[in-house]
Amino acid sequence: MFVHRSMTPRVITIGKEASLLEAKDLMRNKNIRHLPVVDEQQKLIGIITDRDIRGAMPLENVRLPDFCKKMEVASQLKVGDVMTPDPITIGPHDTIEDALLMFEQKKVGAFPVIDAEGRLKGIISVRDILRAFTNVLGIGQPGTLLCILVEEKVGQLKKIVDAITEEGISFGSVLVARYWDENKRAVFPYLLTNNVVRVKQKLKALGFELLDPMEWYIDQLPRHERDG
Amino acid sequence: MKRTGYLYDLRYLLHDTGPYHPECAERLQAIHRGIETGGLLPLVKEISAVKADMRWIEAVHEPGYIRRFEELCLSGHRTFDFPDNQMCPETYEIAFLAAGGVIEAVRRVMAGEIDNAFCVVRPPGHHAEVNQAMGFCYFNNIAIAARYLQEEWGVARIGIFDFDVHHGNGTQHVFEQDPTVFYYSCHEHPTFAFPGTGRSFEKGVGPGLGTTRNWPVLPGQGDDEYRKLIETDLWPAFDAFKPEVVLVSCGFDAHEEDDMSDIRLTTAGYSYVMEQIVAIAEKYAGGRIVSVLEGGYCLARLPELARNHVQILLGKDIPA
């Protein structure tokens, strides 16, 4: 669950003296949107994004009478002029949950990963986190998702796991989510099988409620609660 | 009345999936009972299973996979790749009979001996990948039939319509780069149902981009949604593609009483779907349809669903 396992280790960087056009070409050629800016010792000194570049060379310039002059100015800009100095970073031994929460708070698309000495070790983007959680959900493998509503009390999950295990079914993942009713939890077992008829009957016989799929929530907290 | 082939063979019943398995021999018996009691047996051209030539199995599956299947099966393993895939020592042989039976039906249609056919086979096929058994499927019967059509009969455009309630991942993957085979599938939305593929953004790969289409159906939807997808999506797709032969992955598990899914297609809805496929085949493929059984687990409803299916293939002027 550590950042260094999910990050891109061979990170493409640029120096602060490089021109904006160079940075722009590099991003386009490598199909990336974030370039960490490093000094000669590979120490991180900033980050420049495709958005920073767009901001410095706005397309609206085309409509202005002094377009050529503006482009000339823009083409003389250096990475150091528009980069974000001292960007928000993350450590290789921070976890992907840390990264997830930071992405939510900081509203940026990628964090450079630096070690204790400030050396750049990699970069982790929202896309890396998405991939990690796709794997966590297990949805890359063939299977069937159930949604079971349970009372919020100790031992419920064991009963569910036991019932599923008795049917000889393997788990791809199990997700437990909060439900609008505080006293209940929604349990989402992802089962690596096509054959869920009997296990559904069994769970119902044990008194569990199987939620109508159209009422499923993985993300069901009221908005203000999430944002607050 | 059309000359409709009907592939059914008692040997398909010998594929034993063990107790409490939904993909059971009783499914085929229920279907056959529906055809028989519906008085359709004298009207169809009965076809018996034929063992597939290894060449055609290898046209889809890797030789190493076929050997692995043979070894595990004949040495008495009860499952293959996933616990879902229950088998018995006869399963390997019967899988050849299923694929071979479908090839034989296709051969007869292409030779003009019959107009169309319904193949009531086990084990089913559309989940089987090139090198993996999945979702009760071992050999991908419909993909093998399509390869046979391409290589033996030189068919340039094959349309596959898969209305099993689960996405036919195996078939899609075999043809996703092939612009000469159009794979169209409607199925319960993969977030809610096996196998988790068949999302609407899966549209083919490379040269095959555009000849794969998926219409995921949300839980609780039924006849209206199927009508909409056929009218607004399937017809335009096949109008543009103009299939020379139509293959159908026929799953009756979207029926409202089938508890393998949350889709609520009615018996009448199933008839509507099949009538539309027949109309497409009439328009572009000279009526050539080979329908191959995939899923469908509600033993009480299978007889009527299969009877209607064959009646629609037989078409007008069925003697009373």
Side-chain angles (χ1 to χ4, degrees):
Chain A
M1 289 304 255
F2 293 106
V3 162
H4 70 95
R5 298 297 296 267
S6 297
M7 70 185 186
T8 301
R10 276 180 293 277
V11 54
I12 297 156
T13 60
I14 198 160
K16 71 178 168 52
E17 293 304 317
S19 76
L20 268 202
L21 290 171
E22 250 177 276
K24 193 179 171 204
D25 286 346
L26 190 57
M27 283 186 199
R28 196 172 46 214
N29 294 339
K30 302 287 182 186
N31 194 21
I32 53 177
R33 299 193 301 177
H34 302 84
L35 278 176
V37 185
V38 292
D39 65 11
E40 293 76 19
Q41 283 79 47
Q42 290 297 304
K43 286 247 172 84
L44 181 76
I45 55 173
I47 191 164
I48 184 164
T49 69
D50 59 343
R51 201 165 157 188
D52 296 332
I53 294 177
R54 277 203 307 277
M57 298 188 200
L59 261 172
E60 297 88 90
N61 281 354
V62 174
R63 285 188 230 109
L64 299 176
D66 55 349
F67 169 65
C68 292
K69 189 157 166 273
K70 293 245 170 163
M71 270 311 280
E72 204 186 315
V73 172
S75 67
Q76 283 168 3
L77 284 173
K78 290 184 168 27
V79 165
D81 299 328
V82 296
M83 71 179 192
T84 303
D86 299 321
I88 308 156
T89 62
I90 196 164
H93 287 95
D94 287 328
T95 64
I96 56 172
E97 285 89 340
D98 295 332
L100 188 68
L101 293 170
M102 279 171 65
F103 277 124
E104 207 170 58
Q105 276 181 22
K106 308 294 182 189
K107 300 191 166 53
V108 297
F111 298 122
V113 183
I114 58 168
D115 65 12
E117 285 75 44
R119 278 188 305 260
L120 185 65
K121 306 305 279 185
I123 188 163
I124 188 158
S125 69
V126 169
R127 194 165 298 181
D128 295 320
I129 297 293
L130 284 178
R131 191 186 52 238
F133 278 89
T134 303
N135 291 339
V136 168
L137 286 173
I139 52 180
Q141 292 170 284
T144 309
L145 192 65
L146 300 184
C147 178
I148 308 160
L149 211 53
V150 302
E151 298 287 326
E152 166 54 7
K153 61 182 183 192
V154 172
Q156 296 290 80
L157 204 55
K158 180 183 185 307
K159 285 188 208 160
I160 293 172
V161 170
D162 283 349
I164 292 168
T165 306
E166 279 166 27
E167 290 296 307
I169 297 171
S170 304
F171 288 85
S173 67
V174 184
L175 199 76
V176 182
R178 294 165 69 183
Y179 189 65
W180 61 266
D181 178 346
E182 264 183 27
N183 301 315
K184 291 193 170 164
R185 287 287 178 273
V187 179
F188 294 89
Y190 187 69
L191 305 180
L192 301 182
T193 180
N194 185 2
N195 182 9
V196 290
V197 174
R198 254 169 58 90
V199 77
K200 277 188 187 168
Q201 287 164 354
K202 198 165 190 169
L203 289 164
K204 278 188 217 159
L206 286 169
F208 290 112
E209 183 184 347
L210 294 178
L211 210 58
D212 176 346
M214 291 306 283
E215 302 297 323
W216 286 3
Y217 309 79
I218 280 183
D219 184 17
Q220 57 196 316
L221 298 183
R223 251 205 113 72
H224 62 87
E225 191 177 340
R226 273 191 278 152
D227 293 347
Chain B
M1 191 180 74
K2 298 269 186 186
R3 295 165 301 167
T4 295
Y6 173 63
L7 169 64
Y8 179 76
D9 197 299
L10 290 174
R11 286 173 289 178
Y12 293 148
L13 307 182
L14 300 176
H15 166 48
D16 181 3
T17 49
Y20 310 118
H21 199 287
E23 204 290 281
C24 56
E26 287 81 358
R27 298 173 56 233
L28 260 61
Q29 291 171 309
I31 286 174
H32 189 64
R33 199 169 58 246
I35 307 295
E36 207 171 15
T37 59
L40 300 177
L41 268 189
L43 306 180
V44 296
K45 314 284 178 201
E46 291 188 59
I47 303 173
S48 294
V50 182
K51 195 176 168 211
D53 193 303
M54 182 63 100
R55 176 185 165 202
W56 299 119
I57 307 291
E58 287 183 351
V60 167
H61 297 283
E62 284 176 5
Y65 167 76
I66 302 169
R67 268 200 302 281
R68 196 157 57 85
F69 179 25
E70 180 179 24
E71 272 175 30
L72 287 172
C73 185
L74 298 184
S75 63
H77 282 75
R78 295 293 306 190
T79 62
F80 182 34
D81 282 353
F82 289 99
D84 275 355
N85 303 318
Q86 294 279 337
M87 57 184 187
C88 65
E90 289 77 26
T91 296
Y92 179 73
E93 192 82 6
I94 298 164
F96 270 80
L97 289 171
V102 176
I103 291 172
E104 173 60 13
V106 169
R107 186 196 66 76
R108 291 198 195 185
V109 167
M110 295 309 291
E113 297 170 22
I114 52 177
D115 298 306
N116 56 35
F118 180 38
C119 304
V120 184
V121 296
R122 288 177 72 236
H126 73 152
H127 292 307
E129 298 275 0
V130 167
N131 55 10
Q132 187 160 59
M134 197 190 279
F136 320 153
C137 302
Y138 303 86
F139 291 150
N140 195 316
N141 303 316
I142 204 136
I144 291 167
R147 286 284 184 238
Y148 168 78
L149 273 169
Q150 289 179 318
E151 293 175 26
E152 194 75 3
W153 295 91
V155 175
R157 290 183 313 281
I158 299 164
I160 300 178
F161 182 50
D162 184 335
F163 61 72
D164 186 279
V165 83
H166 305 103
H167 176 240
N169 54 289
T171 315
Q172 174 172 314
H173 292 146
V174 170
F175 298 113
E176 65 189 354
Q177 299 193 47
D178 186 343
T180 70
V181 176
F182 198 119
Y183 177 72
Y184 190 108
S185 179
C186 54
H187 43 261
E188 184 169 358
H189 192 291
T191 289
F192 307 97
F194 187 88
T197 51
R199 294 172 197 269
S200 51
F201 58 78
E202 297 170 23
K203 294 177 176 173
V205 174
L209 189 64
T211 50
T212 294
R213 281 191 78 80
N214 287 291
W215 186 295
V217 180
L218 287 173
Q221 300 287 321
D223 294 5
D224 291 345
E225 181 76 359
Y226 278 73
R227 187 173 291 273
K228 186 169 136 200
L229 77 90
I230 284 173
E231 280 174 11
T232 67
D233 203 54
L234 177 70
W235 264 106
F238 277 20
D239 275 336
F241 182 74
K242 300 183 174 57
E244 295 173 24
V245 178
V246 175
L247 300 178
V248 177
S249 266
C250 167
F252 293 122
D253 41 6
H255 193 273
E256 55 186 343
E257 287 180 40
D258 195 310
D259 46 13
M260 284 289 274
S261 82
D262 311 295
I263 302 302
R264 297 183 188 151
L265 199 56
T266 64
T267 298
Y270 260 107
S271 291
Y272 164 78
V273 169
M274 196 57 195
E275 282 159 6
Q276 294 299 308
I277 298 166
V278 167
I280 289 172
E282 283 299 329
K283 190 168 176 190
Y284 295 111
R288 291 186 294 210
I289 303 176
V290 176
S291 170
V292 180
L293 184 69
E294 302 287 357
Y297 308 93
C298 179
L299 297 176
R301 290 288 165 240
L302 283 174
E304 74 195 35
L305 289 165
R307 187 171 61 238
N308 293 347
H309 193 76
V310 169
Q311 255 163 3
I312 293 162
L313 284 171
L314 283 166
K316 289 187 190 122
D317 309 319
I318 298 177

